[in-house]
Amino acid sequence: MKKLLLATVALVALGATVPALAADLSARTAPYTKAPAYVAPLYNWTGFYIGGHLGGVFAGNTNFGGLTTGNNDNGRFLGGVQGGADYQFAPNWVIGAEAEYSWIAGNNGSIVFPNGNVFTNNQRGIGSVTGRVGYTWGPGLLYVKGGYAFADNNDSLVNGAGAPLAFGLTGDHSNGWTVGAGLEYMFTQNWSGKIEYQYYNFGNSSFTTPAALAPFGSFRTDDHVVKAGINYRFNWGGPVVAKY
């Protein structure tokens, strides 16, 4: 009788333990869920953009028949706007076109002749229409550019008393060419910042009138520009993505 009673108690205890063990084992062997794949954005440079820039312009050192021009060698303030379009291909190369205009504070320099006449090249602004090609690694773009340049000049010639004089020049020193290079970085899908160097050359000019100034030869108008800018980009099709 005692043996039967002990056997019954053992069976009851075992029946209570098995479900608990089964529940514990089920909790420990829950199905494994794989973490989502990491998706890294690849920035897309294709599309239109508009923006603005600030910087400085430094006139080149020129000679006019042995007379040193009074260029503003310490530089002048410059600010302006730009707009353009890029196309990314191959897949790390970018080609594009850009138009920009910069307003300039101050004048480009003056030349004082021995007879007291003073010629001032008041360059109020410069602009360009360029093509560019660059290499991109995700958000970074290293590029070169070049094309047509133009200057908004308001030149003047006065005598020793400050009275204005009529004059004529060969070459308008308003149309020329430009080359440059820069680094642009896209810090969001729609915003990018850049730093850039650009050289402008508007050619040589010499006086045709007054006749007394003609023998002094010619002068060159060129500028070195360093600027920083920001662009808002209207991307086509949004960013490309790659899975790792």
Side-chain angles (χ1 to χ4, degrees):
M1 187 67 177
K2 289 183 179 179
K3 291 182 179 180
L4 180 60
L5 182 59
L6 290 173
T8 302
V9 172
L11 287 174
V12 172
L14 181 61
T17 304
V18 169
L21 291 174
D24 183 60
L25 182 60
S26 176
R28 293 186 181 184
T29 58
Y32 171 72
T33 303
K34 186 179 179 181
Y38 171 68
V39 178
L42 293 180
Y43 294 86
N44 186 356
W45 290 90
T46 299
F48 293 99
Y49 63 88
I50 57 173
H53 59 266
L54 297 172
V57 55
F58 305 85
N61 294 320
T62 63
N63 249 298
F64 196 152
L67 302 174
T68 301
T69 60
N71 290 334
N72 191 344
D73 295 325
N74 293 326
R76 294 164 290 152
F77 177 77
L78 168 149
V81 294
Q82 71 271 350
D86 288 320
Y87 177 71
Q88 184 174 345
F89 65 100
N92 296 104
W93 293 95
V94 176
I95 58 172
E98 182 178 78
E100 67 176 11
Y101 184 83
S102 306
W103 291 270
I104 302 175
N107 63 65
N108 198 36
S110 300
I111 304 166
V112 181
F113 293 92
N115 61 5
N117 291 347
V118 179
F119 173 71
T120 300
N121 174 207
N122 182 13
Q123 194 179 63
R124 297 174 293 191
I126 53 177
S128 64
V129 179
T130 57
R132 73 174 187 170
V133 59
Y135 181 83
T136 179
W137 59 98
L141 175 66
L142 186 65
Y143 63 89
V144 294
K145 62 187 290 188
Y148 168 72
F150 60 93
D152 178 14
N153 296 315
N154 184 25
D155 299 335
S156 63
L157 179 69
V158 299
N159 61 23
L165 299 173
F167 65 94
L169 295 169
T170 62
D172 61 4
H173 69 103
S174 292
N175 296 280
W177 54 270
T178 180
V179 293
L183 174 65
E184 190 164 357
Y185 189 86
M186 194 182 299
F187 47 88
T188 74
Q189 294 296 337
N190 297 103
W191 290 96
S192 64
K194 69 174 183 176
I195 54 174
E196 183 179 280
Y197 165 79
Q198 196 166 350
Y199 172 73
Y200 296 80
N201 190 306
F202 300 102
N204 296 332
S205 297
S206 59
F207 281 97
T208 56
T209 58
L213 301 184
F216 286 95
S218 64
F219 66 96
R220 184 180 73 250
T221 304
D222 61 346
D223 298 289
H224 303 268
V225 173
V226 179
K227 57 194 168 186
I230 189 168
N231 290 318
Y232 181 81
R233 296 186 158 271
F234 304 89
N235 289 341
W236 295 344
V240 180
V241 296
K243 293 185 177 181
Y244 296 91

